[in-house]
Amino acid sequence: MKVLKFGGTSVGTVDSLLNVKNIVDSLEEPGIVVVSALGGLTDGLISTARMAANGDEGFRQSMKLMAQRHFDIINTLVPRERRSDVRQTVAEFLSQLEDIYMGVSLIGCLPDKVLNRIVSFGERMSSIMVANILRDAEHADPLDFIKTNKEYGRDVLAAGQTRSLIRERFAGNLPRTVVTGGFISRDVYTGEITNLGRGGSDFTAALIAEAAGAEVLEIWTDVDGFMTADPRIVKDARVIDFMSYPESNVLCRHGAKVIYTPTIRPVMEAGIPMRVLNTHNVAAPGTLIGAEAPTDVAGVCGLACMKDVALIMCRCNGASEGRMRELSDLLCKHGIETVCGGNSLGTPFIAIKDADADMAQKVLRDYAGSCHADGQCMPGFVGNLSMITVVGHGLDKIEGLRGKLEKSLADNDIEVAAVNHSANGSEDFSEFFVPMANSNDALISLHACCF
Ligand code: ADP
Ligand code: ASP
Ligand code: MG
C-alpha cells in the first residue's frame, strides 16, 4: 500500500485533476490519497473571511467565485451518474460556509475558532470531489481520525489517539483507493475543527503512512522534485536525486517550502521512503528521501532561504548557553517562537520571526533590567533579515567551501549580520543572515558556489 499526497498545485484545475486521475487510476496496489484544497483556495477562504469581518461586502462576490470554481470542476469531471449527489454535498458545505461568513460580517470579528472552521471547507470539498472523480474510490473523513489537543493555547497533534484511529480506520482489506482531505483535524476534547498548520496536508499524509504502515509516501507537486534551491529564485536549481531524512528536515526547517517540516519525522522514524514527484511530468524520476547512505563523500545537498527573520544577539563577554536558554524561555512565555539558535563567531544568537519583533523588543527591554543588575549588557536586536542555509554532509571536509561562500557574499557587497556553522550528528549546515533586500542575490550567489 502506498500513500499519495496531491497538493493544491495538483488539484487546482481540470487539467491537473486529469493528471491526478491518470496517476491514481493506474495504480497496481491499494492507495490512500490525501488531497489539499483546490490551489489557492485556503488563501481565498481566509481573505474572504477578513473581508466579511471588515464589513467589505465584496465577500459575497468572492464567495460566489469560489463556489463556481468547485461546480465547474464537478460538472466537467464527475461522472454523470454521481454528479448531482456530489453537487448537493458541495452545495451543503457552501451553504454552511455562507452562513458563517454572514455571521462574521454581522459580528465584525473573526475569532481563530471560526477561521479554523472556515478554512476546513477547502479540504472537505476537494476530497469529496476527488473521491468521485477517481475510479472505484471511497471517501474517508479526516476529522474522524486526525486529532489535536491544546497546548499553551495552540493546537498540536494528539499523536497517540491519531495513530490508533488511523489504524482502526485503515485496518483490514483496503479498497483499491481511499481519498481523504489533508490539513484538517478535530480537537479530541472539544470536538472543534482545527488544523495542522499551513501546508499541513503533507503532515496528514505522513501520519497516515506511518500508522497504516505504507511502503512509500509520495508527495505529488508541481516541480520535478526537491531541488537544490527554490526554483522560483534560482533559475538553474537542479533536482536532487536522493537526500537523507535529516538533510530534508534541515532544508524544510530552514524555509524550503516544498514539504511541510513536521512531515519528515513520522516517516523517518518508521523508515518509510518518501518520493517528491511532479503531477504534471510523471516521467521525471523525482527525489527519493530515505535513510542516509553510508558514505565518506562530502557534498552540498541544497540551499534554503527563510525571509522575515530577526536576530537577538548577546555580544556581552561570557554570554552563556544558560543565559540564551533563559532568554529563549522568556520569549516562549510571551508566545514568541524561536526559529533557531546558534553562535556567530563567538556571539550567541537566537533567530525569531520578524513579525514578533515588536513584542520581542519589549521583552528585551524588560530583560535589560536584570542584565544591568548582573553587570551584563543588553542583548542586541537586528530585524529585516533573511536566513540562507547551505545543507550537506561533511561540509568541513570540502576544502575552501566556507571561505568561498563568505567571499561570494563579500564580492556582491552583501553584509552578513551573522553566520553559524553547525555539524551536529547527521545535521550539517551553514546559516548566513543577510539583509532581506539582498536575499535573492545572496541565495543565487551561494548556490553558484556550491553547484
Ligand atoms: P503543493 O501545493 O503541492 O503542496 P507547495 O507550493 O507547497 O505545493 O510546494 C511546491 C513549491 O515549492 C514549488 O512550486 C516550488 O516553487 C517551491 N519550492 C521552494 N523551495 C523548493 C525546493 N527546494 N525544491 C522544490 N520546490 C521548492
Ligand atoms: N490547504 C492548506 C494550505 O493551503 C493545506 C495544504 O495545502 O497543505 O495551507
Ligand atoms: Mg505544500
Side-chain angles (χ1 to χ4, degrees):
M1 184 274 286
K2 55 164 124 168
V3 174
L4 305 90
K5 178 262 172 177
F6 293 92
T9 55
S10 299
V11 297
T13 63
V14 166
D15 283 345
S16 40
L17 279 161
L18 282 172
N19 293 342
V20 173
K21 183 170 167 58
N22 280 334
I23 295 163
V24 181
D25 285 354
S26 54
L27 283 181
E28 280 164 10
E29 63 201 294
I32 302 177
V33 175
V34 177
V35 293
S36 295
L38 305 192
L41 195 87
T42 310
D43 286 334
L45 289 166
I46 296 170
S47 61
T48 308
R50 296 209 171 115
M51 283 162 108
N54 293 332
D56 178 347
E57 283 297 310
F59 84 87
R60 293 175 203 277
Q61 179 59 15
S62 172
M63 164 89 215
K64 261 194 206 132
L65 292 174
M66 290 191 290
Q68 198 51 52
R69 240 187 114 186
H70 288 81
F71 290 127
D72 285 346
I73 289 175
I74 296 171
N75 292 340
T76 319
L77 293 180
V78 175
R80 205 173 287 278
E81 64 279 11
R82 286 185 245 150
R83 207 174 289 163
S84 84
D85 281 354
V86 177
R87 245 193 328 236
Q88 197 181 329
T89 308
V90 169
E92 272 161 26
F93 280 138
L94 288 165
S95 142
Q96 286 176 39
L97 178 62
E98 192 170 12
D99 287 349
I100 301 175
Y101 279 144
M102 302 284 256
V104 167
S105 102
L106 279 175
I107 59 170
C109 69
L110 183 59
D112 286 348
K113 217 163 123 162
V114 177
L115 185 61
N116 284 346
R117 208 175 169 80
I118 289 173
V119 293
S120 74
F121 285 101
E123 273 72 8
R124 286 155 93 191
M125 294 192 288
S126 66
S127 57
I128 287 283
M129 286 159 54
V130 173
N132 282 282
I133 289 168
L134 301 178
R135 182 160 53 91
D136 305 331
E138 201 178 86
H139 180 257
D141 187 349
L143 301 179
D144 292 342
F145 49 82
I146 305 290
K147 302 289 172 181
T148 58
N149 51 32
K150 288 253 185 294
E151 249 175 42
Y152 303 107
R154 286 173 45 186
D155 297 312
V156 297
L157 179 78
Q161 279 104 324
T162 298
R163 185 178 294 115
S164 11
L165 288 167
I166 293 173
R167 287 197 176 142
E168 238 170 71
R169 177 62 184 78
F170 297 102
N173 273 344
L174 275 180
R176 231 184 71 78
T177 310
V178 184
V179 179
T180 192
F183 174 59
I184 57 176
S185 45
R186 205 186 268 292
D187 187 286
V188 198
Y189 300 106
T190 63
E192 277 162 27
I193 295 182
T194 56
N195 60 63
L196 302 176
R198 293 304 305 272
S201 297
D202 298 331
F203 191 26
T204 305
L207 294 169
I208 296 176
E210 187 266 329
E215 277 138 40
V216 58
L217 167 62
E218 294 180 350
I219 303 284
W220 289 86
T221 183
D222 65 344
V223 282
D224 280 348
F226 207 127
M227 305 181 77
T228 49
D230 185 339
R232 289 167 298 189
I233 303 170
V234 180
K235 297 298 165 213
D236 55 354
R238 325 174 185 157
V239 174
I240 304 164
D241 303 328
F242 173 81
M243 68 206 297
S244 68
Y245 296 117
E247 283 166 338
S248 63
N249 193 27
V250 180
L251 282 168
C252 294
R253 200 168 81 215
H254 285 84
K257 286 216 176 106
V258 60
I259 302 173
Y260 184 49
T261 313
T263 308
I264 314 291
R265 198 167 151 183
V267 285
M268 175 166 76
E269 285 176 358
I272 297 170
M274 190 153 113
R275 279 189 183 280
V276 182
L277 297 156
N278 190 349
T279 306
H280 315 298
N281 182 17
V282 290
T287 300
L288 172 65
I289 301 174
E292 208 164 351
T295 170
D296 285 337
V297 185
V300 175
C301 172
L303 289 85
C305 172
M306 186 185 282
K307 292 188 174 156
D308 293 304
V309 292
L311 282 180
I312 295 167
M313 306 188 74
C314 289
R315 293 191 200 280
C316 213
N317 276 343
S320 64
E321 267 183 35
R323 187 168 165 217
M324 295 314 283
R325 218 170 302 121
E326 187 183 292
L327 200 49
S328 140
D329 287 349
L330 196 62
L331 293 167
C332 179
K333 272 192 202 129
H334 287 81
I336 301 170
E337 190 193 334
T338 298
V339 170
C340 62
N343 194 302
S344 175
L345 309 170
T347 303
F349 68 83
I350 294 172
I352 60 165
K353 292 269 176 207
D354 224 6
D356 293 324
D358 288 346
M359 179 56 122
Q361 277 172 295
K362 276 190 205 124
V363 173
L364 288 180
R365 273 195 293 275
D366 291 347
Y367 185 70
S370 69
C371 289
H372 289 317
D374 294 349
Q376 292 185 328
C377 53
M378 180 173 160
F381 186 89
V382 198
N384 269 316
L385 297 172
S386 284
M387 171 175 67
I388 299 178
T389 310
V390 178
V391 180
H393 43 270
L395 295 182
D396 267 341
K397 291 189 214 135
I398 307 177
E399 219 187 299
L401 176 72
R402 291 203 160 125
K404 208 161 100 183
L405 294 171
E406 282 167 26
K407 184 172 179 307
S408 87
L409 294 176
D411 288 349
N412 283 287
D413 289 327
I414 299 171
E415 209 181 303
V416 179
V419 51
N420 177 39
H421 303 298
S422 170
N424 201 342
S426 47
E427 294 194 348
D428 192 345
F429 57 87
S430 293
E431 294 160 336
F432 297 88
F433 294 84
V434 300
M436 208 153 72
N438 298 125
S439 87
N440 289 0
D441 290 342
L443 180 63
I444 292 166
S445 81
L446 292 176
H447 185 270
C449 287
C450 302
F451 297 98

